[in-house]
Amino acid sequence: MPRLVGINHIALEVGDVEEALEWYGRIFDLELRGKEPGMAFVDMGDQFIAFSRGRTQPPDSHRHFGLVVDDKAATRAALEAAGIEILPGRGLDFRDPWGNRVQIVAYEDIQLTKATEVLRGMGLELGKSERALQELRAKGMA
């Protein structure tokens, strides 16, 4: 049986690709990988987000995707500065103008680990919290 080894990209439906780039660019430092008609691709190191024109679903209530950031506090500040509503709950969740629910998680607090070469290519030096290291050790991955 094949094994799942990661996520290459997220395809995110938005109303307008240029608006999505501008809107998400108010929160995050975006690096555009490329464009084609009706789509734009934003790098996240060795992964990417594909913004696709044409939202076909109602707003997401529970379905969401988690974005990993280098600085969760800075992300919260950027959301607040942009006037974006942070959803109630214990995490840092918000919805974009097209109803996509996004959850923000800090790299240091989760098991996801970028290869040293990828972090270097992204210009980042990031570590893991003791809790995340314990989770990785329990799986023989640290």
Side-chain angles (χ1 to χ4, degrees):
M1 299 275 300
R3 292 184 60 191
L4 296 171
V5 296
I7 294 176
N8 173 254
H9 69 279
I10 298 164
L12 193 60
E13 293 180 336
V14 296
D16 180 271
V17 172
E18 293 302 323
E19 282 180 33
L21 290 171
E22 186 275 327
W23 193 86
Y24 277 92
R26 292 177 11 209
I27 307 164
F28 304 108
D29 179 13
L30 301 182
E31 184 176 332
L32 191 63
R33 175 182 284 199
K35 285 184 177 180
E36 58 184 58
M39 297 192 82
F41 308 95
V42 174
D43 267 334
M44 297 185 299
D46 55 348
Q47 300 165 306
F48 65 96
I49 295 176
F51 291 114
S52 177
R53 182 181 60 229
R55 179 74 179 177
T56 60
Q57 303 168 8
D60 296 321
S61 57
H62 296 289
R63 181 183 47 221
H64 67 277
F65 65 97
L67 287 179
V68 181
V69 297
D70 62 340
D71 189 333
K72 191 172 175 180
T75 304
R76 178 180 292 277
L79 289 166
E80 291 171 348
I84 298 166
E85 178 187 3
I86 296 171
L87 300 175
R90 63 183 185 95
L92 181 56
D93 292 27
F94 64 92
R95 278 195 189 85
D96 70 13
W98 304 278
N100 297 300
R101 185 173 180 145
V102 183
Q103 183 177 81
I104 301 299
V105 293
Y107 179 85
E108 65 188 16
D109 294 330
I110 63 167
Q111 293 181 33
L112 170 78
T113 304
K114 294 279 193 186
T116 303
E117 297 82 3
V118 173
L119 286 173
R120 187 177 325 119
M122 295 175 75
L124 297 172
E125 290 185 30
L126 301 174
K128 293 289 180 189
S129 68
E130 187 54 39
R131 180 174 160 236
L133 289 171
Q134 287 174 355
E135 291 174 358
L136 289 165
R137 284 186 202 110
K139 293 182 173 184
M141 297 180 181

